[in-house]
Amino acid sequence: MILITLCALSVLACVVCDELPKVSLNPQKLVQKSGQETSFSCVLRRGSLPVRFEWLYNDRSMEPSSKIQIESTTKSSTLILESLTILNAGNYTCRASNSFGFDQSTSNLIVEGPPQWQSKPVDLRIGPKERFNIKCSGIGHPVPSVSWRKQIGSEWRDLLESSNVFTKISSAEITGNQLIKEKDEGKYGCEVSNGIKPSLWTEFMIQVSGKL
């Protein structure tokens, strides 16, 4: 009877020690402003030791750098991000693995800050009957909007209100055709803004070769 009891306890002990890791990650979602420092804490709730911790950003493995610190112990790991920019926004995953498998938890980081360029227009030289598209966009949070303008005299006027040869395809792209050299040739600009200064501004030239 004693032998049976000892065997049962031995089996139970093996079941307990041969355990997959289970982790929790805090915070689960975080909104920070650009320039700040932030951190994520990953804690091993259960699982057989030793456990290896790994951090991933948008499913890609992360390594320590001048702005990324990783501090790990046998049962926890902390990720520290310094001087945040909007490029740091995304999903951060803590993965813990041992000889029996792995567990992971993911947190979403939103970074509020002024927009950064994604696509800038360039100078164009086009024929009067040629159709063309122009892209101007930025990334950031809040999501930025794009305003298109044309210089008329010393003033910058809303392009889509002052010209009937341009059409808005999306918030970041316009198209045009049937341009008239004397009327439509000149300097244009686009502004990308999301309410957080500074906004982005760029200018470009459109030259029309020939007449309709």
Side-chain angles (χ1 to χ4, degrees):
M1 182 66 178
I2 295 176
L3 180 61
I4 295 176
T5 302
L6 289 175
C7 291
L9 290 174
S10 177
V11 172
L12 179 60
C14 290
V15 170
V16 172
C17 66
D18 296 351
E19 190 173 42
L20 288 167
K22 181 64 178 180
V23 296
S24 62
L25 179 61
N26 290 300
Q28 286 294 305
K29 185 174 183 180
L30 186 61
V31 179
Q32 293 281 60
K33 295 186 181 300
S34 60
Q36 292 183 332
E37 177 183 294
T38 193
S39 64
F40 297 95
S41 178
C42 182
V43 177
L44 180 68
R45 295 303 180 189
R46 64 175 184 267
S48 302
L49 297 177
V51 169
R52 176 179 177 270
F53 290 97
E54 180 184 7
W55 288 92
L56 301 94
Y57 171 65
N58 291 338
D59 295 327
R60 293 186 177 182
S61 183
M62 299 179 67
E63 297 294 338
S65 68
S66 59
K67 292 187 177 182
I68 300 174
Q69 298 181 41
I70 299 176
E71 301 174 353
S72 299
T73 67
T74 56
K75 294 185 178 182
S76 68
S77 183
T78 301
L79 173 68
I80 303 171
L81 304 175
E82 301 178 358
S83 301
L84 291 174
T85 73
I86 59 174
L87 298 179
N88 294 122
N91 293 320
Y92 290 83
T93 299
C94 171
R95 178 180 293 170
S97 58
N98 61 16
S99 57
F100 304 103
F102 72 91
D103 184 40
Q104 64 184 35
S105 182
T106 300
S107 177
N108 178 248
L109 173 64
I110 296 172
V111 181
E112 294 183 339
Q116 294 188 13
W117 284 114
Q118 187 175 43
S119 176
K120 293 174 66 174
V122 297
D123 294 344
L124 293 175
R125 184 178 182 87
I126 57 175
K129 294 184 179 181
E130 182 180 350
R131 178 173 289 278
F132 58 92
N133 292 359
I134 307 173
K135 293 182 179 181
C136 179
S137 63
I139 58 174
H141 187 87
V143 177
S145 60
V146 179
S147 300
W148 298 88
R149 298 187 178 92
K150 183 180 189 302
Q151 188 177 45
I152 301 177
S154 60
E155 296 182 358
W156 286 97
R157 298 184 183 178
D158 186 287
L159 174 60
L160 300 179
E161 292 181 359
S162 60
S163 175
N164 58 6
V165 297
F166 292 90
T167 303
K168 187 175 182 179
I169 298 178
S170 68
S171 60
E173 186 174 8
I174 59 174
T175 185
N177 69 340
Q178 302 291 315
L179 268 64
I180 300 174
K181 181 177 179 66
E182 294 79 7
K183 180 181 178 182
D184 300 308
E185 189 172 75
K187 183 179 289 186
Y188 294 77
C190 77
E191 181 181 32
V192 180
S193 61
N194 67 353
I196 301 177
K197 300 297 183 180
S199 300
L200 302 177
W201 170 259
T202 189
E203 300 174 7
F204 58 99
M205 295 293 297
I206 293 182
Q207 292 182 296
V208 183
S209 58
K211 298 182 178 181
L212 286 172

